């Protein structure tokens, strides 16, 4: 059974930093691209970032480019996103999502979702 | 960045049929946009219902189907059940694999 468990969310001040983790199990983590999707409370879904199966290629939404860095450790079956220069508008649930394939160059083919972790940016 | 549009809200009677649509500001939606549909119930994470226009996951009820209709991606629910009341999101992928979500459709079964 595929399981994705996010952690690392919490309260952070504007301008601060936070690193989210996603622990994966139930599939061969190193064979699949992975993504982060977020959802502000009461709002819709927003794509944040994706990384290929080998970590060699990434892409980001314009809203987070230059501030967020996605990475993965295939030896630990874990996906990360390092978030810096956080803004009030980054407040959201952050979901870790498995892709159906290894790449991200053609499409985001989102498959299994984690339960999410809440990041609150507030002074 | 492209804008993906969905009906903000729709209502369907129990046992009835409803079609949700997903349009693109760049023109007609095609299979090359790899349309996806997700269902999200209150307090839960989204789950994938339909992938690559019309393919279902093992957990997708048979009453849901995906298609291309009139230049848009479409999700049709035939024989609506009370448990189908949820928010539905579509996702389209653009050049370079850049994905964009629609704003979501709140479906009421009433």
């Amino acid at each position: 059974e595929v399981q994705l468990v996010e952690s690392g969310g919490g309260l952070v001040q504007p301008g601060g930093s936070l690193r989210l983790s996603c622990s994966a199990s139930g599939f061969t983590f190193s064979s699949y691209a992975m993504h982060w999707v977020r959802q502000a409370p009461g709002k819709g879904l927003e794509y944040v970032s994706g990384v290929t199966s080998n970590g060699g290629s990434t892409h980001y939404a314009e809203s987070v480019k230059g501030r967020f860095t996605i990475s993965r450790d295939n030896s630990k079956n874990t996906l990360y996103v390092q978030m810096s220069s956080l803004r009030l508008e980054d407040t959201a649930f952050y979901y870790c999502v498995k892709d159906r394939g290894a790449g991200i160059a053609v499409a985001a083919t989102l498959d299994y979702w984690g339960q999410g972790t809440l990041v609150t940016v507030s002074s | 960045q492209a804008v993906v549009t969905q009906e903000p809200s729709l209502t369907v009677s129990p046992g009835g049929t409803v079609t949700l649509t997903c349009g693109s500001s760049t023109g007609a939606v095609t299979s090359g946009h790899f349309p996806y549909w997700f269902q999200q119930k209150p307090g839960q994470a989204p789950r994938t219902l339909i992938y690559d226009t019309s393919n279902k996951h093992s957990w997708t009820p048979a009453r849901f189907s995906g298609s291309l209709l009139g230049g848009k991606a479409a999700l049709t629910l035939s024989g609506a059940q009370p448990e189908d009341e949820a928010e539905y999101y579509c996702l389209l992928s653009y050049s370079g694999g850049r994905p964009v979500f629609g704003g979501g459709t709140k479906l009421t079964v009433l």
Side-chain angles (χ1 to χ4, degrees):
Chain A
E1 178 193 5
V2 172
Q3 286 201 330
L4 301 167
V5 180
E6 302 92 339
S7 60
L11 177 63
V12 60
Q13 291 188 338
S17 298
L18 205 60
R19 188 178 82 158
L20 305 183
S21 301
C22 170
S23 178
S25 61
F27 64 101
T28 305
F29 182 72
S30 60
S31 294
Y32 296 93
M34 297 293 295
H35 307 268
W36 289 99
V37 174
R38 70 184 180 183
Q39 185 174 36
K43 303 296 184 182
L45 301 174
E46 180 187 15
Y47 184 83
V48 174
S49 182
V51 61
T52 54
S53 60
N54 64 3
S57 183
T58 60
H59 60 215
Y60 299 90
E62 288 298 321
S63 58
V64 306
K65 196 173 291 184
R67 300 187 300 121
F68 288 16
T69 302
I70 191 172
S71 63
R72 62 191 297 160
D73 185 337
N74 286 346
S75 69
K76 295 182 178 179
N77 290 348
T78 303
L79 176 72
Y80 304 100
V81 61
Q82 178 69 46
M83 304 184 295
S84 60
S85 302
L86 283 163
R87 306 167 180 168
L88 297 177
E89 56 265 34
D90 294 319
T91 295
F93 285 94
Y94 284 75
Y95 295 102
C96 167
V97 192
K98 173 187 169 293
D99 199 284
R100 292 181 59 241
I104 59 172
V106 176
T109 52
L110 308 185
D111 197 334
Y112 289 87
W113 295 66
Q115 287 302 305
T117 187
L118 178 61
V119 172
T120 302
V121 184
S122 175
S123 54
Chain B
Q1 174 170 295
V3 176
V4 177
T5 55
Q6 298 183 245
E7 299 87 359
S9 63
L10 289 170
T11 300
V12 61
S13 300
T17 296
V18 63
T19 296
L20 289 65
T21 68
C22 175
S24 171
S25 63
T26 63
V29 175
T30 71
S31 59
H33 289 98
F34 298 88
Y36 267 61
W37 290 94
F38 307 92
Q39 178 191 62
Q40 186 178 33
K41 296 182 179 180
Q44 297 184 15
R47 68 168 183 168
T48 306
L49 276 183
I50 300 288
Y51 64 95
D52 297 350
T53 304
S54 59
N55 295 289
K56 302 178 187 181
H57 277 290
S58 57
W59 55 77
T60 304
R63 58 186 179 272
F64 289 95
S65 62
S67 64
L68 295 176
L69 194 64
K72 297 182 178 183
L75 176 69
T76 299
L77 171 58
S78 303
Q81 301 296 312
E83 60 265 31
D84 298 329
E85 189 161 292
E87 193 86 23
Y88 292 84
Y89 295 92
C90 69
L91 176 72
L92 302 178
S93 288
Y94 292 87
S95 176
R98 296 298 191 266
V100 180
F101 283 97
T105 296
K106 181 177 176 59
L107 182 66
T108 301
V109 181
L110 188 61

